[in-house]
Amino acid sequence: MAALLQLSVFAENRPGRLEKMTKVFADEGINILAIYISSIGDFGAVKLIVDKTDEAARSLKEKGFTVSLNEVLGIELEDRPGMLYEVVRVLGKHAINVENIHVLVIESRHTAYLIVEVEDVAAAKELLKNEPIRFY
Amino acid sequence: MFWQQESETIERKRLEELQLGRLQAVVRRVYENVPFYRKQFDERGLAPGSIATLADARKIPFTTKEDILAHYPFGLLAVPREEIVRVHTSSGTTGKPKAIFFTKSDIDRGADLIARCLTMTGMRKNDVLQNMMTYGLFTGALVMHYGAEKVGVLIVPAGPGNTDRQITLMQDFKTTAIHITPSYALYLADVLDRKGIDPRRDLSLKRAYMGAEPYSEETRKKIEQFYGIDVYNSYGLSEMNGPGVAFECERKEGMHLWEDNFLLEIIDPETDEPVSDGQKGEIVLTSLCREGMPILRYRTRDLTAVLPGPCPCGRSHRRISRIFGRTDDMFIVKGVNIFPQQIENILMGVKGVAQNYQIVLESLDHMTVQVEIARDLFDGNVTHLVKLQNVITDRLKNEILVKPKVELHEPGTLPVFEGKAKRVIDKRTL
């Protein structure tokens, strides 16, 4: 299974930062698949899943942004009620500590992924391998 | 290796005899030629002939920055105007600058002092020195330039700024040494990092000479590590020639102050009394050899200490510690005296903090410390950033006893300094 990489960009909470960042993607023709902002007080990190990860990281760094690339878990969510509950229950059962979660919807509404940040991705994958869920 | 071995290793006793003779001569010269000094002496009933020992120097009144300003431009000349071949000024933030004049022999002597400094740190004719100090009225670049020329190194007179070009010059001319302010060295490091240039691998740098503004030991370590070089601390001031007053030898343990050219005193700035070796105080300097504009007992406002004991390098000239700060730089928050260097020292020792920082004095009780985070240590985890913020806050509180507000900033967003840095923003006076 290929690793799912998430870009984190350090950002101060001040006007214009997000605009400058997204302009880099627009200029480089990079497609944003999912984005959310994790922020505390005066600063935060913008989390992104993009189609051309390495290229995006390089362009951002060249423009002076502070960037980190981390592997995250991408758990497939079937489009039916109760699915999220099941996934979270499984994570809880294995005492996998979730640091952040957001959702990535691909193409049609049929497939969605729960993007889960955990401290140790490899360990989490190992714990989940016999569970009836699909993940990346 | 020495530039002027005999002068550099002169026995202490002979050095002191030399100093006394030179002191007596300079006192006579200024008494005869500079009305300001004649008045100072006469008012105190002090005859120029009454300086019989080096300790008698303490009878001579101090010369202050205000005295120099008051006699702007030509009032303190000790030689006819036509003997002067160069003027430098020291940055005047409050209007008029201080003008300092050089005769031909002043320039030559200053160059020899620099040549001593460069030679003792290993510079030879095959070296390439990129001089990133400001060429012009500021002494920093030109005085170094003349000294480097004496040694015979290849000088790249780049001046500060235009960082892309600096990097190209370093690559093209295989620069082995840079003369640079600490703030610009830090900024340059950030630019190199962003461009993916590793100075250890991609440049030929071996050493840097850093001065013109006080910086902490942690900053030196950070710069040495990033560039993979030796950083030598340099002390000077326009009033005493500019750079080359005191300089570190290869041991990098304090700066040898060229005592055959300058009479060194460290005093308690409050009581004006001398302090003993090892004690912190204000450095007071008398130029023993300058012709154009000798200055007696100049109150530098710089705080340092004499390092006790001889240096294994063999030079007999005493060493001073790095400048802790300037009495002018000290500020007070919640009634506590704080020097910017104390804050810098803590910041540069915290992993995760990048090169640039700024101190904002918000009110009599509140200060904000703005720091840029280190690009390579950002791991995307906001919790880790909060931890970093707390570590910085705690360490600062332990050092300065006041709890500052700590702000984390993106690298490259705080103001950049190519010359002397302005680290403290005082909003209280606005």
Side-chain angles (χ1 to χ4, degrees):
Chain A
M1 249 179 257
L4 181 61
L5 292 175
Q6 178 172 263
L7 270 177
S8 298
V9 186
F10 176 72
E12 293 163 41
N13 284 353
R14 59 189 166 85
R17 291 310 291 162
L18 205 53
E19 185 186 332
K20 226 183 129 189
M21 189 183 309
T22 46
K23 183 168 187 310
V24 175
F25 294 130
D27 291 348
E28 303 290 326
I30 290 160
N31 203 7
I32 300 173
L33 306 175
I35 179 168
Y36 89 105
I37 297 173
S38 151
S39 115
I40 296 179
D42 298 332
F43 58 83
V46 180
K47 313 274 183 165
L48 301 138
I49 307 279
V50 298
D51 58 348
K52 289 175 269 183
T53 310
D54 290 338
E55 215 176 309
R58 198 171 49 244
S59 306
L60 284 170
K61 206 177 169 205
E62 271 166 23
K63 294 279 183 318
F65 286 94
T66 301
V67 183
S68 168
L69 260 186
N70 305 89
E71 193 187 347
V72 288
L73 273 179
I75 300 174
E76 195 176 306
L77 295 175
E78 288 164 35
D79 194 7
R80 61 177 168 82
M83 187 64 209
L84 184 58
Y85 166 69
E86 261 172 55
V87 168
V88 173
R89 195 179 53 82
V90 170
L91 293 174
K93 189 172 92 184
H94 293 284
I96 294 171
N97 193 20
V98 173
E99 293 176 4
N100 276 303
I101 277 187
H102 61 128
V103 175
L104 162 64
V105 181
I106 299 188
E107 289 154 15
S108 61
R109 269 193 57 229
H110 293 292
T111 332
Y113 287 92
L114 194 64
I115 308 297
V116 184
E117 284 179 51
V118 296
E119 188 76 41
D120 187 341
V121 178
K125 281 184 171 178
E126 187 57 34
L127 290 169
L128 296 177
K129 74 177 180 203
N130 295 322
E131 293 294 340
I133 53 174
R134 293 178 52 147
F135 58 89
Y136 290 94
Chain B
M1 201 176 147
F2 299 91
W3 179 252
Q4 294 169 323
Q5 185 162 8
E6 212 183 310
S7 304
E8 292 174 52
T9 59
I10 183 172
E11 261 179 88
R12 286 299 306 179
K13 192 167 160 293
R14 277 194 50 220
L15 175 60
E16 283 167 19
E17 286 163 10
L18 183 70
Q19 285 187 306
L20 180 60
R22 287 180 172 175
L23 177 66
Q24 290 167 331
V26 73
V27 163
R28 241 175 288 122
R29 269 193 293 126
V30 296
Y31 185 81
E32 281 158 22
N33 299 305
V34 186
F36 163 73
Y37 279 116
R38 176 186 288 264
K39 190 161 160 269
Q40 293 268 74
F41 276 63
D42 287 348
E43 275 174 6
R44 285 166 182 78
L46 185 66
S50 65
I51 306 294
T53 66
L54 280 179
D56 285 341
R58 302 225 308 265
K59 296 180 190 164
I60 302 170
F62 295 115
T63 306
T64 63
K65 180 172 129 188
E66 289 71 30
D67 292 328
I68 298 181
L69 288 173
H71 295 87
Y72 178 88
F74 296 118
L76 295 180
L77 287 192
V79 297
R81 206 322 265 123
E82 55 269 29
E83 296 303 314
I84 299 297
V85 297
R86 193 196 291 171
V87 59
H88 280 291
T89 65
S90 105
S91 48
T93 40
T94 49
K96 268 195 301 186
K98 284 165 279 174
I100 310 294
F101 297 93
F102 294 69
T103 63
K104 265 191 177 149
S105 114
D106 287 337
I107 288 176
D108 192 53
R109 203 175 264 282
D112 268 322
L113 295 186
I114 291 287
R116 287 184 192 177
C117 301
L118 296 181
T119 305
M120 77 178 167
T121 56
M123 286 284 267
R124 301 293 179 264
K125 285 173 84 107
N126 56 354
D127 275 298
V128 181
L129 174 71
Q130 193 158 324
N131 195 355
M132 303 188 191
M133 293 287 184
T134 307
Y135 276 83
L137 285 167
F138 174 52
T139 48
L142 274 170
V143 172
M144 174 62 79
H145 185 104
Y146 276 60
E149 222 164 60
K150 262 205 177 191
V151 175
V153 309
L154 168 58
I155 306 163
V156 184
N162 200 340
T163 307
D164 285 348
R165 192 187 61 184
Q166 299 279 11
I167 296 168
T168 310
L169 292 171
M170 287 196 282
Q171 288 170 327
D172 291 354
F173 299 127
K174 309 248 179 298
T175 300
T176 61
I178 51 178
H179 182 213
I180 192 168
T181 62
S183 11
Y184 193 44
L186 291 168
Y187 175 68
L188 180 62
D190 188 48
V191 175
L192 286 166
D193 183 43
R194 226 184 304 163
K195 288 178 176 292
I197 298 172
D198 177 358
R200 291 163 175 269
R201 188 190 61 212
D202 306 324
L203 300 176
S204 314
L205 281 185
K206 284 188 275 188
R207 51 187 82 88
Y209 302 110
M210 289 202 324
E213 58 190 28
Y215 60 102
S216 68
E217 191 57 36
E218 289 297 338
T219 302
R220 174 196 343 233
K221 281 190 207 141
K222 198 159 197 164
I223 292 173
E224 287 192 327
Q225 222 162 23
F226 178 82
Y227 290 92
I229 56 171
D230 284 306
V231 169
Y232 298 97
N233 201 354
S234 151
Y235 175 66
L237 59 164
S238 316
E239 296 85 332
M240 297 286 141
N241 271 2
V245 174
F247 220 86
E248 279 181 329
C249 64
E250 268 183 316
R251 307 191 70 87
K252 299 193 286 189
E253 288 161 359
M255 300 180 278
H256 290 281
L257 190 132
W258 301 123
E259 293 186 80
D260 55 344
N261 277 255
F262 305 100
L263 186 67
L264 161 66
E265 297 172 76
I266 310 277
I267 63 164
D268 178 331
E270 305 283 321
T271 64
D272 296 352
E273 288 300 313
V275 302
S276 40
D277 283 4
Q279 296 291 107
K280 217 186 265 191
E282 177 180 347
I283 178 169
V284 171
L285 292 170
T286 298
S287 58
L288 295 173
C289 301
R290 298 195 84 235
E291 289 181 344
M293 187 174 162
I295 299 175
L296 306 184
R297 302 196 79 205
Y298 185 61
R299 294 289 298 250
T300 64
R301 306 185 191 207
D302 291 326
L303 298 174
T304 181
V306 167
L307 299 184
C311 180
C313 80
R315 287 173 184 82
S316 51
H317 301 247
R318 284 180 296 169
R319 289 165 299 158
I320 56 170
S321 73
R322 61 173 54 256
I323 304 300
F324 299 116
R326 311 204 68 202
T327 52
D328 295 359
D329 292 342
M330 193 192 77
F331 55 85
I332 300 174
V333 176
K334 278 191 170 170
V336 181
N337 295 352
I338 301 170
F339 284 97
Q341 281 70 44
Q342 288 177 283
I343 292 172
E344 178 181 310
N345 206 31
I346 296 294
L347 294 180
M348 294 300 143
V350 177
K351 231 181 159 189
V353 173
Q355 292 83 356
N356 212 353
Y357 70 96
Q358 190 162 277
I359 300 160
V360 184
L361 307 179
E362 313 275 2
S363 73
L364 291 175
D365 295 328
H366 295 287
M367 60 186 284
T368 303
V369 176
Q370 302 171 325
V371 299
E372 290 183 359
I373 65 162
R375 231 179 269 284
D376 47 343
L377 283 176
F378 175 66
D379 62 359
N381 191 323
V382 177
T383 328
H384 294 171
L385 291 173
V386 174
K387 264 190 208 147
L388 175 67
Q389 198 177 26
N390 291 339
V391 166
I392 298 170
T393 311
D394 290 347
R395 289 204 196 164
L396 282 175
K397 179 160 187 297
N398 283 337
E399 168 69 23
I400 59 175
L401 310 174
V402 172
K403 188 174 174 181
K405 179 177 180 228
V406 171
E407 282 177 11
L408 301 185
H409 289 259
E410 294 168 46
T413 53
L414 292 178
V416 166
F417 303 97
E418 292 175 343
K420 293 195 186 196
K422 184 166 167 43
R423 297 289 186 195
V424 182
I425 308 295
D426 195 346
K427 288 190 172 168
R428 304 174 301 188
T429 52
L430 297 179

